[in-house]
Amino acid sequence: MSETELDDVEALADLADLARDCAQDDDSVLIFIEQEDAWFAIVRVDGEEDPRIFVSDGAAAARSSYGSVLTDELVDQAGESEFGDLEHLLDDSEEAEEPDDDAEPLGSVPVGPLGDSHLLVEFGLASDRLLALSGEGAVPGDALEEIAEALGCGEVLEAVR
């Protein structure tokens, strides 16, 4: 684990490339990102596979430049998998329902945890524990410390802070 300069990261692909450059023998690389105790993110890069992302609070992360790179990707992925192209399911005679004014608009980023909560299971950190560390009242810095300790890299995280 090391601290990496993120000034040149404009897209998730840039972040994944940085991680791959740090990898040894195609090992998994974990990237911990924390924004002023407002949110944290973990990005897991395994070789040439698509990065896996978890963000503790999507709405908070979307308000920052680094976070929006992650949340935009997650919202795009959710749109493709959850909503997809459903127009073909509507009969021409059926009218579309009026949108609910209180409903969250498509494409917006939800408040709370977002992404793959299972990305650390293989390292011994259960999904429900990761979600609990992201819940209301959780402190992102403390959560990352606890995650790093559970993964056996707490001292390394502390050294780069």
Side-chain angles (χ1 to χ4, degrees):
M1 193 184 280
S2 65
E3 185 173 13
T4 302
E5 190 61 44
L6 298 177
D7 289 340
D8 295 329
V9 173
E10 295 179 10
L12 181 60
D14 299 332
L15 187 60
D17 288 343
L18 274 174
R20 289 182 186 106
D21 290 344
C22 295
Q24 298 176 2
D25 301 324
D26 285 335
D27 285 342
S28 297
V29 176
L30 297 175
I31 302 166
F32 292 179
I33 302 170
E34 178 187 359
Q35 178 75 41
E36 300 172 2
D37 254 355
W39 60 273
F40 73 86
I42 301 170
V43 179
R44 177 178 172 177
V45 179
D46 297 307
E48 293 302 317
E49 293 181 32
D50 288 340
R52 296 167 63 185
I53 307 165
F54 177 81
V55 177
S56 66
D57 186 336
R63 292 189 292 268
S64 77
S65 59
Y66 298 133
S68 66
V69 167
L70 304 176
T71 57
D72 289 351
E73 179 70 22
L74 289 169
V75 168
D76 287 348
Q77 288 174 5
E80 291 171 8
S81 64
E82 293 177 23
F83 306 113
D85 180 16
L86 302 179
E87 293 290 27
H88 68 280
L89 298 177
L90 292 176
D91 189 282
D92 289 338
S93 63
E94 294 179 16
E95 291 185 33
E97 291 182 28
E98 289 296 316
D100 180 359
D101 290 338
D102 295 331
E104 189 176 293
L106 279 179
S108 67
V109 180
V111 173
L114 182 65
D116 184 355
S117 64
H118 298 276
L119 81 165
L120 299 176
V121 169
E122 294 155 47
F123 299 109
L125 189 70
S127 172
D128 59 344
R129 184 68 193 134
L130 183 58
L131 291 169
L133 291 168
S134 307
E136 189 173 327
V139 178
D142 294 346
L144 280 181
E145 281 182 35
E146 188 170 329
I147 292 166
E149 286 296 325
L151 299 178
C153 60
E155 291 177 9
V156 177
L157 177 63
E158 197 56 41
V160 297
R161 282 186 145 180

